[in-house]
Amino acid sequence: MPTLISSRFLLLVGESLHLRRALATSRSVLLHTSVKCMSQVEPNHGSLTLSSIGFQTETEAGNRSTSNKVKQFGSPSENLKSKEKPFGINEKKKKAVRVVEKQQIEFAPFAAKSFPELGLPHVLIERLQKEGFTVPTEVQSAAVPTILNNRDVIIQSYTGSGKTLAYLLPILSVVGPLRGKGGDDGEENGKKLGIEAVIVAPSRELGMQIVREFEKVLGMDNKRVVQQLVGGANRTRQEEALKKNKPAIVVGTPGRIAELSASGKLRTHGCRYLVLDEVDELLSFNFREDMHRILEHVGRKSNADPNSNAGKSERQLIMVSATVPFSVVRAARSWGCDPLLVQAKKIVPLETVSPSEPVSLSRSSLPNSAVPSQAAVESLPPALKHYYCVTRLQHKVDVLRRCIHALDAKFVIAFMNHTKQLKDVVFKLEARGMKAVELHGDLGKLARSTTLKKFKNGEVRVLVTNELSARGLDVAECDLVVNLDLPTDSIHYAHRAGRTGRLGRNGTVLTICEEPEVFVVKKLKKQLGIPIVSCDFSEGKLLVTEEEETVSTSTIS
Ligand SMILES: Nc1ncnc2c1ncn2[C@@H]1O[C@H](COP(=O)(O)OP(=O)(O)OP(=O)(O)O)[C@@H](O)[C@H]1O
């Protein structure tokens, strides 16, 4: 039975962060369970500065816990101070979190111009430079120091804004061969510590992409520090690799991680970081059981007395997505410890987020509203152009082809809702001399990765796919996304659209629909707060036909 504890009561009695964590972790709150105390939120404290939450540079970065094996970076006096406090956040800083007044966040490191400003270890910065990463994105500027300061977070920022590095860098600052001076050497009294970071992603593709991002930063020599545990791959081989390589970081899908954990082949009780990437998807009904196991076991000491606070979760919880409905906020409050919401230029305590002010794209709060939510816009890359074109069902592929020619798009992702129809579209495009390929969950693992490779290296121009590719797929060059079928809601629209315009690039999104579906597009337009302009294609050009816009003829470059 869930134990319901009033957050107001907790705050009134002035419990320590440590106690809050213990209470939070001792609750047996089911995913999606509505926790009553959540309605009793603190008054709005406004945004926080990084310094007010204790942001420090490499020489100061704090430790999470006295019992945690990770040592401090930096000065001994700072270390000593931190050791006296649970979770490395001293009382002063804790207070600052509680009483901070509304204030604009305009100064560094939100606008950090280089990675060294974020307090990362030197050796890690060198690796980043080698890989061509020199300037952090805004969300990285906000998230890296916050995570380094041991805070539980939800990271919300638009698609393609670099959220993966935003959590990967602070983890690699502490775990593995690129860690800072005081980081964890992966051993205690000569014994290997085991898994120190678990990263969960909702699909194999996304899991593998995250592994590639880790490998990019780690470099070839250190690849074995991270291991993928995705479903569909050979489980025995994964178990053998776990035994042989003793990775410090695993990245996988909920099913496989939960399976290996239940069989005792994956020991994560001492784990320090739990990352839930695309968290809103992970908290969906499909993953409920596996996620429950993961949340209950990762970073939880197996021999801890359930009635005692000692040995309770020391893990740091990091939740990530471009779309954060209120269910995620609720889950973070239940499973995390005083979590912060980290966005590109803003950090606020989660307590200040209420259901009526969604973080972004809350299904429940944006039904028929004519007023776009500012937060909703934050899920989409700012440089995207959105169009829709009305046609008959049988002409959709023809419109797609004409659009590709008009925009001279080179890397096109076309979304449909049903797997069966993908083949037909591929066939029609190929028949008209346009290289296309289908990608969906019914393909085997090998076929899926071969298909993706072909698309990424430009062998095929159009990837015809379904919702599988809507989240996380990172093809920098993708310049056009087409909805051949309407997405089910604004969340799905945002994730599909986010496959283009990545990291500040230009991109176009075209929704091809039939006349009776136009009202859905108009609804999406309102919910997202973006112009989705009616268009047509003629003589190799895109013609804007929206009445309320100035009717103009334009070629989009
Ligand atoms: N600071 C940076 N400088 C240059 N490239 C970067 C930087 N940060 C991230 N990237 C690159 O940008 C691309 C997009 O990053 P990433 O996939 O993490 O975005 P995202 O916000 O997680 O997107 P989505 O929400 O769609 O999953 C990746 O190829 C990544 O390597």
Side-chain angles (χ1 to χ4, degrees):
M1 279 290 288
T3 313
L4 299 178
I5 304 163
S6 154
S7 64
R8 184 162 295 284
F9 168 73
L10 291 178
L11 289 160
L12 280 174
V13 296
E15 86 296 354
S16 69
L17 194 62
H18 189 76
L19 177 58
R20 279 180 69 86
R21 173 173 293 279
L23 287 166
T25 54
S26 65
R27 282 179 224 151
S28 143
V29 184
L30 294 173
L31 292 178
H32 292 262
T33 303
S34 168
V35 183
K36 276 185 192 157
C37 68
M38 298 317 163
S39 61
Q40 298 178 347
V41 291
E42 277 282 271
N44 194 335
H45 301 298
S47 304
L48 301 181
T49 62
L50 283 168
S51 56
S52 76
I53 58 156
F55 167 61
Q56 298 158 323
T57 58
E58 178 179 358
T59 51
E60 299 170 274
N63 203 354
R64 185 167 185 78
S65 154
T66 47
S67 64
N68 211 307
K69 300 124 206 156
V70 182
K71 292 167 210 132
Q72 299 275 134
F73 299 135
S75 76
S77 60
E78 195 64 37
N79 291 351
L80 199 67
K81 253 190 266 168
S82 237
K83 271 182 191 156
E84 291 163 8
K85 310 288 174 195
F87 306 102
I89 297 166
N90 65 32
E91 290 301 315
K92 230 182 189 169
K93 285 166 193 157
K94 203 152 55 83
K95 249 192 191 142
V97 171
R98 298 268 152 77
V99 299
V100 70
E101 297 299 327
K102 270 194 177 165
Q103 50 189 289
Q104 286 300 318
I105 314 245
E106 286 160 357
F107 30 88
F110 289 107
K113 292 199 170 49
S114 67
F115 283 106
E117 286 175 54
L118 301 182
L120 296 168
H122 190 65
V123 58
L124 180 53
I125 290 164
E126 276 181 356
R127 277 293 317 148
L128 286 171
Q129 274 165 354
K130 264 194 193 138
E131 291 302 317
F133 297 111
T134 49
V135 183
T137 65
E138 284 179 338
V139 72
Q140 289 163 4
S141 294
V144 169
T146 311
I147 297 172
L148 277 177
N149 203 44
N150 312 309
R151 298 300 305 254
D152 287 356
V153 291
I154 296 180
I155 304 175
Q156 189 279 325
S157 175
Y158 60 80
T159 52
S161 56
K163 293 188 290 297
T164 317
L165 279 190
Y167 64 76
L168 178 157
L169 295 178
I171 292 177
L172 288 183
S173 298
V174 173
V175 174
L178 306 180
R179 68 188 181 274
K181 270 182 270 155
D184 199 334
D185 60 3
E187 293 190 5
E188 190 177 58
N189 303 328
K191 274 169 104 184
K192 261 285 196 211
L193 287 176
I195 307 299
E196 294 191 67
V198 171
I199 289 107
V200 193
S203 72
R204 291 183 244 176
E205 276 69 20
L206 185 55
M208 282 152 68
Q209 199 167 282
I210 296 167
V211 170
R212 279 196 295 275
E213 200 82 348
F214 265 104
E215 289 175 348
K216 233 193 265 177
V217 178
L218 281 163
M220 288 307 278
D221 296 345
N222 300 313
K223 266 173 70 170
R224 289 192 172 166
V225 173
V226 60
Q227 190 187 323
Q228 54 120 322
L229 298 176
V230 297
N234 188 306
R235 185 179 143 177
T236 316
R237 235 178 271 158
Q238 287 175 350
E239 287 173 0
E240 282 164 5
L242 279 174
K243 226 169 160 182
K244 190 171 155 221
N245 301 333
K246 300 200 170 18
I249 301 163
V250 293
V251 182
T253 46
R256 183 54 55 91
I257 290 177
E259 204 181 354
L260 288 169
S261 160
S263 70
K265 297 282 167 39
L266 179 71
R267 295 182 179 277
T268 58
H269 292 296
C271 183
R272 182 172 160 70
Y273 297 99
L274 174 60
V275 181
L276 309 181
D277 203 333
E278 303 292 345
V279 59
D280 51 331
E281 180 78 0
L282 287 175
L283 296 181
S284 71
F285 188 80
N286 296 352
F287 296 118
R288 197 182 169 112
E289 263 177 48
D290 295 329
M291 285 309 299
H292 197 258
R293 178 169 178 98
I294 289 168
L295 282 158
E296 281 288 0
H297 285 80
V298 173
R300 300 263 164 107
K301 302 267 187 304
S302 53
N303 55 358
D305 172 0
N307 299 316
S308 130
N309 292 335
K312 281 285 182 185
S313 176
E314 300 290 320
R315 73 169 179 220
Q316 195 171 342
L317 185 62
I318 301 166
M319 296 177 157
V320 186
S321 185
T323 48
V324 176
F326 198 72
S327 55
V328 170
V329 174
R330 258 200 318 257
R333 284 171 176 176
S334 293
W335 294 100
C337 174
D338 274 355
L340 296 172
L341 171 66
V342 179
Q343 294 173 300
K345 284 192 175 117
K346 196 164 75 178
I347 301 177
V348 293
L350 222 49
E351 287 165 2
T352 65
V353 179
S354 71
S356 57
E357 291 173 85
V359 177
S360 75
L361 295 173
S362 167
R363 275 186 184 96
S364 57
S365 57
L366 291 169
N368 297 307
S369 167
V371 185
S373 152
Q374 178 55 38
V377 186
E378 286 169 5
S379 303
L380 286 159
L384 287 194
K385 287 183 174 154
H386 303 263
Y387 298 96
Y388 73 95
C389 179
V390 181
T391 190
R392 296 223 178 115
L393 182 66
Q394 62 269 35
H395 297 147
K396 279 191 173 185
V397 179
D398 199 41
V399 171
L400 165 65
R401 204 175 49 82
R402 284 193 283 141
C403 173
I404 293 171
H405 283 311
L407 303 185
D408 194 24
K410 299 284 190 287
F411 291 80
V412 183
I413 302 181
F415 284 100
M416 300 192 75
N417 293 342
H418 304 289
T419 310
K420 267 187 189 167
Q421 288 138 16
L422 302 183
K423 207 179 279 303
D424 192 38
V425 173
V426 170
F427 181 78
K428 282 182 182 163
L429 288 170
E430 292 261 332
R432 288 167 176 81
M434 192 166 279
K435 284 227 173 273
V437 71
E438 59 182 304
L439 179 71
H440 50 83
D442 295 349
L443 296 177
K445 186 177 167 260
L446 189 65
R448 279 157 73 165
S449 53
T450 315
T451 301
L452 257 180
K453 235 181 236 164
K454 275 188 187 169
F455 180 60
K456 284 185 175 180
N457 66 24
E459 274 178 64
V460 290
R461 195 169 182 182
V462 190
L463 183 76
V464 188
T465 187
N466 57 10
E467 227 49 48
L468 171 82
S469 310
R471 283 181 185 253
L473 182 63
D474 179 42
V475 181
E477 297 83 0
C478 176
D479 46 1
L480 173 64
V481 162
V482 177
N483 291 315
L484 279 171
D485 288 327
L486 283 169
T488 43
D489 56 31
S490 51
I491 291 183
H492 287 84
Y493 184 96
H495 283 282
R496 285 179 176 191
R499 296 317 99 207
T500 182
R502 297 185 69 76
L503 215 69
R505 294 177 182 88
N506 290 327
T508 304
V509 186
L510 173 72
T511 300
I512 305 175
C513 63
E514 295 177 76
E515 188 63 51
E517 296 171 323
V518 170
F519 83 97
V520 182
V521 177
K522 298 211 160 150
K523 207 166 144 187
L524 286 170
K525 190 167 142 176
K526 276 181 196 161
Q527 290 178 347
L528 290 158
I530 50 165
I532 306 180
V533 182
S534 167
C535 76
D536 206 345
F537 299 93
S538 173
E539 298 175 5
K541 286 182 179 172
L542 183 149
L543 310 174
V544 173
T545 57
E546 187 91 336
E547 273 165 31
E548 63 255 51
E549 305 280 318
T550 317
V551 181
S552 64
T553 308
S554 60
T555 308
I556 312 293
S557 57

